[in-house]
Amino acid sequence: MTGPRVFESLDAEWALVCAGAGRAEMVLGWLREGGVLFGDERARGLAELLAELECRDRAQGRVHSDRWMRVLLERAVGEGAGAQLAARVVVQAMLPGAVRMTQRLLRAGRDFDETGQVVVACLYQVVRRYPLGRKGGVAANLLLETLHMASRELQADTETDAVPWHPVLETAAVPGEPAADDPTEAVWRTVLRRQAAEAGLIAAGEVPDGARGELVELLVWAVAAGLLDGVRARVIADDSRAGARESAERAGVSAVTWRQRRSRTVRQLRPIADQWVQAA
């Protein structure tokens, strides 16, 4: 199972889709016509076929995922049962990213399943309307536009918290690769950098990563959730910059005072971090 109820339901639905007679052969035929799978490929179930595609994605990279996704998207933007089936296969391939996106979009007062329903509904719309002439990584484009649409849906009454459109992420990877190279992570890092810069948590052009990246993400979430004042968040972010301790010492802050300040920060962030983990 990929996650709580909304995604459990989709997995159960996927099992029924896979059980339908002739569906795997139909999808396999489309892929063969598109030059993705060749004549020596044996017939297999739809779930096994998708697993094989994802395995090849990991081995061959984004070029492979772009090719087979475009073949199915050409069908998905049309009409009829074939379009619905093609769209459903693409959506199933993107579900791990949809789960992580749902986790990223959680805020105080938001229910996981309600948020997930919005994300999945937006993902379906994006798949069925995908502009086939768009360049760049297909998976990254799908996720980025879904994130844009879902954020608008969830924050329609809070313009400053909505996620605007960003340029195509040319360097995004493919579904199923390690988290650091996952298109969902690439999309979120772009949004996170924008939100963190707007909140004054990072300098212009800074790319927070590692432990500092995790701290900045926590601070962005805490401020959005109303658990931390924006001014305090900026102080904490400044204290976590490389060389911050040395700068404080040059400004006359003693080592003892610095340790006490860091201890206060840890005590303040610990319960917030617990809520962040629970929300995710």
Side-chain angles (χ1 to χ4, degrees):
M1 292 296 183
T2 48
R5 289 177 298 275
V6 59
F7 295 104
E8 290 178 357
S9 297
L10 283 169
D11 280 341
E13 178 193 84
W14 175 244
L16 295 177
V17 173
C18 293
R23 288 172 177 168
E25 290 75 10
M26 184 181 296
V27 174
L28 184 60
W30 296 335
L31 294 172
R32 284 173 173 161
E33 289 176 14
V36 179
L37 301 175
F38 304 98
D40 58 349
E41 290 289 335
R42 64 180 179 84
R44 64 188 71 201
L46 196 51
E48 291 77 10
L49 182 58
L50 182 57
E52 173 65 20
L53 288 169
E54 292 172 343
C55 180
R56 293 185 181 198
D57 289 347
R58 290 191 291 272
Q60 301 178 36
R62 198 187 79 184
V63 172
H64 183 266
S65 70
D66 282 353
R67 186 183 303 123
W68 75 259
M69 281 191 171
R70 284 186 183 278
V71 169
L72 295 188
L73 287 169
E74 287 174 359
R75 304 278 178 171
V77 299
E79 300 293 337
Q84 295 175 14
L85 176 59
R88 186 64 183 84
V89 175
V90 175
V91 167
Q92 187 66 25
M94 302 301 296
L95 275 192
V99 173
R100 292 191 289 275
M101 187 180 296
T102 300
Q103 294 168 339
R104 300 291 198 182
L105 288 172
L106 286 178
R107 297 289 186 273
R110 285 187 189 169
D111 176 78
F112 183 94
D113 280 314
E114 291 177 355
T115 304
Q117 288 169 7
V118 171
V119 169
V120 172
C122 291
L123 176 58
Y124 264 108
Q125 291 183 59
V126 170
V127 168
R128 292 302 300 271
R129 301 174 183 174
Y130 191 82
L132 298 173
R134 177 173 292 163
K135 297 180 180 180
V138 174
N141 281 330
L142 289 171
L143 287 168
L144 192 54
E145 191 161 345
T146 299
L147 177 62
H148 164 69
M149 185 180 297
S151 177
R152 285 290 186 189
E153 290 281 344
L154 292 165
Q155 295 289 347
D157 59 343
T158 311
E159 184 177 355
T160 57
D161 196 32
V163 180
W165 174 256
H166 291 273
V168 172
L169 299 181
E170 293 288 350
T171 59
V174 297
E177 291 196 350
D181 298 323
D182 190 279
T184 310
E185 295 301 314
V187 167
W188 182 251
R189 285 195 297 270
T190 299
V191 175
L192 176 63
R193 287 197 298 271
R194 179 189 64 81
Q195 293 176 334
E198 289 179 352
L201 301 177
I202 61 174
E206 180 184 353
V207 181
D209 56 9
R212 174 162 167 78
E214 292 180 359
L215 175 62
V216 168
E217 183 172 353
L218 171 61
L219 295 175
V220 168
W221 179 86
V223 172
L227 299 175
L228 191 66
D229 177 78
V231 174
R232 177 61 177 147
R234 286 192 288 274
V235 171
I236 295 173
D238 286 341
D239 284 350
S240 71
R241 298 180 192 276
R245 179 172 180 174
E246 291 77 4
S247 297
E249 290 176 349
R250 287 195 295 271
V253 177
S254 69
V256 172
T257 301
W258 176 262
R259 286 195 297 270
Q260 291 173 341
R261 192 159 81 186
R262 295 298 294 269
S263 294
R264 285 196 299 272
T265 297
V266 170
R267 286 196 300 272
Q268 183 178 15
L269 289 182
R270 183 174 289 118
I272 295 175
D274 288 342
Q275 293 185 56
W276 185 42
V277 172
Q278 291 171 12

